[in-house]
Amino acid sequence: MVMSAASATGSHSRNGFRFSDQNGDYNQHNDGQAFSVAGSEDFEAQKAFYSNEEKRKDKRNLMSNDQEDENLLAEARQPLWRKVPIASSLINPYRIVILLRLVILVFFFHLRITTPVHDALALWIISVVCEIWLALSWIVDQLPKWFPVTRETYLERLSLRFEREEVPNLLAPVDIFVTTADPFKEPPIITANTVLSVLSVDYPVEKVTCYVSDDSASMLLFDTLSETAEFARIWVPFCKMYNIETRAPEFYFSEKLDYLKDKVHPTFVKDRRAMKREYEEFKVKINVLVAKALKKPEEGWVMQDGNPWPGSNMDDHPGIIQVRLGSTGALDKEGKELPRLVYVSREKRPGYQHHRKAGAMNTLVRVSAVLSNAPFALNLDCDQYINNSKVLRESMCFLMDPQLGKKFCYVQFPKRFDGIDCNDRYANHNTVFFDINMKCLDGIQGPLYVGTGCVFNRQALYGFDPLSDKRPKMKSCCWPSSSSCCSSDSESSSDDESDQELVDFDDEEEEEEELSFMSLKSLEKRFGQSPVFIASVLMEDGGLPKGTNTRVLIKEAIHVISCDYEEKTEWGKEIGWLYGSVTEDILTGFNMHCRGWKSVYCMPKKAAFKGSAPINLSDRLHQVLKWASGSTEIFFSGYCPLWYDYSGKLKWLQRLAYTNSIVYPFTSIPLLIYCTIPAVCLLTGKFILPTLSNLASIWLMALFISIILTCVLELRWSGVSIQDWWRNEQFWVIGGVSAHLFAVFQGLLKVGGVNTNFSVRAKSAHDTSFAQFYLFKWTALLIPPTSLVILNMVGIVAGISDAINNGYDSWGPFFGKLFFSLWVIVHLYPFLKGLMGKQNRTPTIVILWSILVAIIFSMIWVRIDIFLPKQTGPALRQCGIRC
C-alpha cells in the first residue's frame, strides 16, 4: 500500500508539469515576443534539467518507500518473543548460597545424629526425623528453582506478520471456554462480566467464539446470557471505540483511576455516562432474574417462548445448546459482527459419572471442535475476567511462532485477584508461587497448569505428541453439508477412474480405503462415535470446511455432549482433561509434559486476568484443602510422578517439581509434630538439643545465616516484596497444620473406599467493604492450629514459672525453648487475627495475650508472697517425738 501511494504521488507531479528551483516554483514567461534560438535552447536545457531533477526526486521517494517496506518486512520476520534470563549478578550468588546451604545441612545433620540427648531420647529422635523430612521437602522445592527466566513478547511484529492490509487476517481463531456450576454460589453478574470481557477482547471478531458451560442447567444463567448478549451490542463497540481497559464493566466503572487519561474524543464523557446508566439497568435486570429464580414454580420453569425448560432437574436433563450473536445472530449497534456466544449444558442422567469440572471441559472441547474448531482454546473460570484485552495476542506470539509454536502445549498466565485486603492476611495472591516458582519452571520444561487463564494447543488436548507425523489422514467427507456427503468429490473421482484404465490404481485405492476404515475404527475407539468430531481432530490447523450445514452441526454437537459418549473411550485417561482428581489441572499438564510438550509462562506488564479469591479464613482453608486433597489423590493414583512414565520425555527437574506439587500435603505431619515439640519441652523441662559445643554453635549459626541469605537473594532476583514472602511463610504453617493434614487423612480414606465430596466455593460480587473478610465460620480445620496456639501459650507460662522457681541458671535453656515456641505463635498470628470476628471487636490476639500476661503476673506475685508475714529467729527443724 505504501508503494502504490508513492507511485501515485510521483505520477501526479510529472503530469502536472510543475518544476521548482531554489527560489520557488518555475513559471514559463511569455511577453508576446518570440524567443531567440539561443533563448529557446537555454529554455529547453533548463527544462531538461528540472525534468531530470524531478525524476530523481521521484526515484528517491520510491526508493525510500521501498526501503520502508523492506524495513517493515524485516521487522515482521523478527522473532515474536524472546527469553530473558535473570542477570548473572543476581542469580549466581543465589545458586552459590543454595549449594552452601546443602553443605551446611549435611554437617548439621551429622552433628545432630552423632550427639543424642540421652535424658530426652524420644523427643530427640522425633525432632531429628521431622528435621530430615523438612530438609528433604526444602530440597525438592529448591532444586527446580535453578533456571528462572522471563519472556518478552512483540505484539507489533505479530501484527506486521499476520495482519497486513493487502491480505486477509491470518491470526489463528481461538475458542474461549467459560465454566460455571452453580449460579447461586457463582453470581450471574460475575459470569456476565467475564463473558463481556471475552466478547470485547482485542482480536478479530470472526476468530473468537465464547462457549459458556452451565453444569447446573439453570434457566437463570440461560436468561442471564440472553441479557448479556443484548448488552454486548452496545458495550463491545464502546470499548473498541475508546480503547477501554478493563473491559469487564463492573470493574471498569469501579476503578478509582483517572478515566479521562489519554482520552481525546470529545464525546467520551457523554458516552461513558450513558454507558454507566445502561450498565446499572443491566444489573437491575440480572437482579430481577435472580430474585425470580429463588422461588421455583411447582410446574417447573418455563422459557420466554412458552416451552418448558428442559433443565428443571439439574441431575437429570438432556443436553442443551443455544447459539447467540455471531454471523447468524444479532449485530452490534453499529451493524458490525460480534463474536459468537454459545450456551452449553451437557446431558446428565442418574448412574453416570460426570467428573465435575474436568468432564465439563472435555464436553466443551468436543462441542467447540464440531461448531468452530479453532486450533487454540482459552479456558477461564466464571470469576476470572480478561483484564488485558490483548491477552490473546500475547499468547499467539508463542503459539504461532513458526519454529517453536508446534512444540508448545499451552501458555499459562499468572493468577491475579481483586478484592484482597491490603495486607493480604491469608496469602491469597500466592505471589511466591506465581512470581518465583513458575518463573523457575519456565526455564526447565514449562510452568504447571493452574486450572484457568491458560491458552491451549488443541492438538495437545487430543493426546498427540508434538510434531507427530504418525497421525492418520482422512477425507473431509465426514463433515455434513447441505447436500449429500462428498457427492462432488465422488463424481469427480469416478470421472477420473473412467479416464484411467489402470488396474493397479484400483487396487491401491481399495487398499487405501481399507486402511482408512481401519484407522477410523481405531479413532472411534479413542475419541468416540462421531465422524464429524474425528474429522475435526485430524485438522491440525483447525477450521470448518466451506458449505457445512450449521443445523446439522448443532445436532452433532448435541450428540457429543451426551452422558454416554465417553464410555469405552480414552477421554479423561489420555485425552482432554484427565479424571481421577479434584485438581485436574495438575494431572492434565503433567500428562502433556510427559508426552514431550513444553509450556510457556507469560507475564505481561498489565495483568492478563483477574478474579475473586476467598477472603475469610474458613473459605481460604477449604480452598487449600481442596488443592491438597487433589494432590493426595494423584499421589495414590497411577499418575504419581514418582513412578509414572519414565520414557525420557519429562526432564528430571520437571519431574521433581511435579513430585513436590503432590507430596507437599504429607509435610503437614512432621510440621504439626515440630510445632508441638516446643510446648512439650517447656512443659516437661526437656530439650531436643544437647549442650552446644563451640563447633555445634558455629554450624547452627551458619544454618540460620544460610536460610536468611537464601530468602534475601531469592527476593532480590524475583522482585517479590518481603511482606508477600512473609505472608506466604505464615500461611504455609497455617495451611500445613490444618488443611494439608486433613487432606492426607481424606486421601487415606479414599484409598480405603470412603469418598469425600467438595462443593463449589461461593464467589462474591465485587465489594470494596470487605463484608466477608471478618465473617467467622466455624470448621473442623480450625481445631489443630487453635490447639497449637493454646498449647504453646500454656507452655510459655509453665516455662516462665519453672525458670522463676529454679533460679538464674535455668533461664538460659528456657530462652532456647521460648524462641521455638514464639516461632510457632508468630507464624500463626494471621490465624489468630482471623478469629477476631467483626472489625470493631477487640482483637482475639489482644485478649489471648492479656490472659497470658495476667497468668504470668499472678504466678510471679504468688512467688513473691509480699503479704505473708515473714518468720524471724532460728530456723525450725523437725525433731520428731523428742520435741
Side-chain angles (χ1 to χ4, degrees):
M1 184 61 69
V2 177
M3 292 178 62
S4 62
S7 301
T9 304
S11 63
H12 175 75
S13 299
R14 290 190 294 270
N15 295 335
F17 196 68
R18 186 179 184 183
F19 308 100
S20 61
D21 57 9
Q22 296 178 355
N23 299 324
D25 293 338
Y26 174 83
N27 297 316
Q28 182 179 355
H29 299 282
N30 188 357
D31 296 334
Q33 299 178 356
F35 285 93
S36 64
V37 177
S40 62
E41 291 178 355
D42 292 341
F43 173 75
E44 292 297 333
Q46 292 178 5
K47 178 180 176 181
F49 170 78
Y50 286 115
S51 179
N52 293 333
E53 183 68 21
E54 186 68 20
K55 290 179 180 179
R56 283 193 291 269
K57 286 184 178 180
D58 291 341
K59 189 175 181 180
R60 284 196 296 268
N61 290 334
L62 288 171
M63 291 178 62
S64 63
N65 289 324
D66 290 342
Q67 184 64 36
E68 183 179 353
D69 286 347
E70 290 180 2
N71 292 337
L72 291 176
L73 291 174
E75 180 70 16
R77 287 192 291 266
Q78 294 296 315
L80 300 176
W81 60 273
R82 74 184 184 101
K83 186 185 293 186
V84 184
I86 306 298
S88 58
S89 59
L90 297 177
I91 195 64
N92 286 340
Y94 176 68
R95 293 169 176 167
I96 292 172
V97 171
I98 291 175
L99 294 176
L100 289 176
R101 185 172 172 181
L102 289 172
V103 173
I104 293 171
L105 279 173
V106 172
F107 284 97
F108 172 77
F109 282 117
H110 176 265
L111 180 68
R112 288 283 282 136
I113 294 172
T114 56
T115 55
V117 182
H118 297 287
D119 58 343
L121 194 60
L123 279 178
W124 172 78
I125 293 174
I126 293 173
S127 65
V128 170
V129 172
C130 292
E131 288 167 2
I132 293 175
W133 193 327
L134 294 173
L136 291 175
S137 175
W138 172 80
I139 293 172
V140 172
D141 178 68
Q142 195 67 53
L143 288 182
K145 295 182 180 181
W146 200 258
F147 303 104
V149 297
T150 56
R151 298 179 190 264
E152 290 182 356
T153 56
Y154 302 100
L155 302 183
E156 298 83 2
R157 297 175 183 175
L158 182 76
S159 297
L160 289 172
R161 183 176 297 183
F162 299 107
E163 294 184 291
R164 300 178 185 176
E165 294 181 0
E166 61 272 12
V167 296
N169 195 302
L170 299 178
L171 286 175
V174 181
D175 291 334
I176 302 178
F177 305 153
V178 179
T179 53
T180 179
D182 189 339
F184 295 102
K185 291 185 178 181
E186 300 167 328
I189 191 64
I190 296 297
T191 305
N193 272 270
T194 300
V195 172
L196 288 170
S197 70
V198 169
L199 296 178
S200 56
V201 70
D202 184 7
Y203 208 73
V205 293
E206 69 277 6
K207 296 179 180 292
V208 176
T209 305
C210 178
Y211 295 86
V212 180
S213 171
D214 178 15
D215 240 17
S216 62
S218 169
M219 200 175 81
L220 170 58
L221 184 62
F222 183 83
D223 291 339
T224 297
L225 286 185
S226 299
E227 296 292 343
T228 303
E230 187 64 25
F231 181 74
R233 296 179 62 195
I234 59 175
W235 172 252
V236 173
F238 171 76
C239 291
K240 295 188 175 181
M241 176 183 292
Y242 298 112
N243 195 24
I244 297 299
E245 297 283 351
T246 304
R247 299 190 178 183
E250 179 71 25
F251 303 94
Y252 169 68
F253 290 120
S254 63
E255 284 179 339
K256 297 180 180 179
L257 299 173
D258 181 13
Y259 63 86
L260 296 177
K261 185 178 180 181
D262 300 329
K263 297 296 184 294
V264 296
H265 205 286
T267 62
F268 171 69
V269 175
K270 178 182 176 181
D271 289 348
R272 186 182 186 276
R273 290 173 181 171
M275 184 56 62
K276 190 172 184 180
R277 287 194 299 269
E278 292 286 347
Y279 179 65
E280 294 298 331
E281 294 178 4
F282 170 72
K283 289 175 65 177
V284 171
K285 293 178 182 178
I286 301 300
N287 292 336
V288 170
L289 292 176
V290 173
K292 289 181 179 179
L294 294 176
K295 296 180 180 180
K296 183 179 180 180
E298 294 182 359
E299 64 276 8
W301 300 109
V302 179
M303 295 187 290
Q304 295 179 357
D305 57 3
N307 293 321
W309 174 246
S312 296
N313 187 346
M314 65 178 297
D315 296 321
D316 187 4
H317 64 83
I320 308 170
I321 295 178
Q322 176 69 40
V323 180
R324 301 183 181 276
L325 302 179
S327 57
T328 59
L331 305 177
D332 65 18
K333 67 174 185 178
E334 298 177 354
K336 297 180 180 179
E337 185 179 346
L338 290 169
R340 187 155 52 164
L341 177 61
V342 183
Y343 172 88
V344 180
S345 181
R346 56 180 171 150
E347 181 186 15
K348 285 190 175 182
R349 301 297 181 190
Y352 286 91
Q353 285 287 339
H354 301 295
H355 304 288
R356 300 188 185 91
K357 179 182 175 182
M361 295 303 302
N362 287 336
T363 298
L364 291 179
V365 170
R366 296 193 296 272
V367 170
S368 61
V370 172
L371 296 181
S372 54
N373 197 33
F376 307 111
L378 163 66
N379 92 284
L380 295 173
D381 290 341
C382 66
D383 61 332
Q384 293 279 328
Y385 65 91
I386 295 179
N387 184 65
N388 184 345
S389 64
K390 298 185 183 298
V391 61
L392 295 183
R393 297 176 181 272
E394 295 278 356
S395 60
M396 290 304 110
C397 287
F398 301 101
L399 296 174
M400 295 188 69
D401 183 273
Q403 295 180 348
L404 299 176
K406 296 294 184 180
K407 297 181 180 180
F408 294 143
C409 54
Y410 59 80
V411 178
Q412 178 66 62
F413 293 87
K415 281 186 178 181
R416 304 301 186 204
F417 301 100
D418 285 317
I420 306 298
D421 62 297
C422 59
N423 294 320
D424 192 16
R425 180 187 296 176
Y426 306 126
N428 279 294
H429 286 301
N430 232 343
T431 309
V432 171
F433 175 76
F434 286 112
D435 290 10
I436 297 180
N437 295 54
M438 296 286 270
K439 279 185 180 180
C440 297
L441 291 177
D442 199 18
I444 307 173
Q445 199 171 341
L448 308 179
Y449 167 47
V450 297
T452 184
C454 186
V455 182
F456 281 94
N457 184 335
R458 191 181 282 270
Q459 295 298 311
L461 290 172
Y462 291 152
F464 292 124
D465 294 341
L467 299 176
S468 175
D469 296 329
K470 298 181 180 181
R471 302 179 194 177
K473 302 295 181 182
M474 294 182 60
K475 297 180 181 179
S476 61
C477 61
C478 297
W479 289 92
S481 61
S482 56
S483 59
S484 60
C485 184
C486 289
S487 58
S488 61
D489 293 342
S490 60
E491 291 174 2
S492 61
S493 62
S494 62
D495 293 339
D496 293 339
E497 289 176 2
S498 62
D499 293 338
Q500 297 180 1
E501 299 177 355
L502 297 176
V503 180
D504 293 340
F505 179 81
D506 295 335
D507 294 339
E508 288 177 5
E509 187 168 332
E510 289 178 3
E511 193 174 327
E512 232 177 75
E513 289 178 358
E514 185 179 353
L515 289 173
S516 178
F517 177 77
M518 293 174 60
S519 62
L520 177 61
K521 287 298 182 182
S522 62
L523 288 171
E524 285 181 347
K525 289 182 180 180
R526 187 177 185 189
F527 293 102
Q529 300 287 330
S530 174
V532 176
F533 174 72
I534 291 174
S536 70
V537 167
L538 300 177
M539 299 180 67
E540 296 186 22
D541 297 327
L544 301 177
K546 294 181 179 180
T548 53
N549 191 323
T550 305
R551 185 172 299 176
V552 178
L553 290 181
I554 291 292
K555 291 182 180 179
E556 191 68 20
I558 291 291
H559 169 59
V560 298
I561 67 173
S562 58
C563 58
D564 59 347
Y565 181 83
E566 295 182 355
E567 288 188 351
K568 298 180 180 180
T569 66
E570 294 186 11
W571 284 101
K573 302 173 184 175
E574 295 294 333
I575 301 174
W577 274 257
L578 301 194
Y579 305 149
S581 172
V582 294
T583 52
E584 70 288 330
D585 45 5
I586 295 179
L587 209 54
T588 302
F590 174 64
N591 186 45
M592 292 180 182
H593 284 133
C594 286
R595 292 183 177 276
W597 290 93
K598 295 182 179 179
S599 56
V600 177
Y601 194 53
C602 183
M603 297 181 65
K605 293 181 180 179
K606 181 177 176 61
F609 307 98
K610 283 189 177 181
S612 63
I615 61 175
N616 64 68
L617 179 60
S618 300
D619 289 345
R620 174 67 167 140
L621 288 178
H622 276 287
Q623 183 188 55
V624 175
L625 173 62
K626 176 185 175 182
W627 295 341
S629 297
S631 295
T632 57
E633 287 174 350
I634 297 174
F635 179 82
F636 291 115
S637 72
Y639 291 99
C640 180
L642 290 174
W643 50 73
Y644 177 76
D645 191 15
Y646 278 88
S647 62
K649 295 182 179 180
L650 186 69
K651 297 182 179 180
W652 72 273
L653 282 179
Q654 191 80 10
R655 183 179 296 276
L656 203 61
Y658 273 110
T659 301
N660 182 50
S661 68
I662 61 104
V663 301
Y664 74 91
F666 296 93
T667 307
S668 61
I669 298 173
L671 181 63
L672 179 66
I673 295 173
Y674 209 71
C675 290
T676 308
I677 287 177
V680 175
C681 292
L682 287 168
L683 291 171
T684 60
K686 309 294 183 181
F687 199 38
I688 58 176
L689 291 175
T691 302
L692 297 178
S693 62
N694 292 334
L695 181 61
S697 301
I698 291 173
W699 285 119
L700 187 61
M701 289 299 297
L703 180 61
F704 279 112
I705 292 173
S706 66
I707 292 173
I708 294 172
L709 285 177
T710 304
C711 299
V712 170
L713 294 175
E714 188 171 80
L715 299 182
R716 182 168 171 252
W717 68 255
S718 65
V720 175
S721 67
I722 184 68
Q723 180 181 1
D724 290 332
W725 175 84
W726 176 237
R727 284 286 182 257
N728 182 79
E729 290 295 309
Q730 287 179 313
F731 206 81
W732 175 73
V733 176
I734 295 171
V737 299
S738 57
H740 297 175
L741 186 69
F742 276 69
V744 172
F745 288 111
Q746 286 185 352
L748 294 173
L749 288 175
K750 189 170 183 179
V751 172
V754 180
N755 291 324
T756 55
N757 295 321
F758 289 93
S759 59
V760 178
R761 175 178 64 85
K763 279 86 170 179
S764 58
H766 184 64
D767 185 9
T768 57
S769 62
F770 296 104
Q772 296 285 328
F773 183 68
Y774 303 100
L775 183 63
F776 179 79
K777 301 178 183 178
W778 174 255
T779 172
L781 296 175
L782 302 176
I783 295 176
T786 305
S787 302
L788 280 177
V789 171
I790 295 174
L791 187 62
N792 277 276
M793 286 187 171
V794 171
I796 290 174
V797 173
I800 293 176
S801 176
D802 183 70
I804 293 173
N805 288 328
N806 293 332
Y808 177 79
D809 293 337
S810 62
W811 284 97
F814 165 74
F815 281 120
K817 304 170 189 176
L818 179 66
F819 171 79
F820 289 106
S821 190
L822 289 177
W823 178 90
V824 176
I825 294 175
V826 168
H827 277 77
L828 294 175
Y829 178 71
F831 171 82
L832 294 175
K833 292 191 70 176
L835 298 177
M836 74 174 63
K838 292 184 179 179
Q839 185 178 11
N840 295 328
R841 289 184 181 178
T842 304
T844 305
I845 186 65
V846 175
I847 297 175
L848 292 174
W849 277 107
S850 299
I851 296 173
L852 177 63
V853 172
I855 294 174
I856 295 174
F857 183 80
S858 300
M859 297 180 70
I860 295 176
W861 190 273
V862 171
R863 175 64 181 171
I864 297 175
D865 289 338
I866 59 174
F867 291 103
L868 295 179
K870 302 298 180 183
Q871 296 291 339
T872 57
L876 299 177
R877 295 181 180 179
Q878 185 177 359
C879 55
I881 59 174
R882 294 186 179 182
C883 293

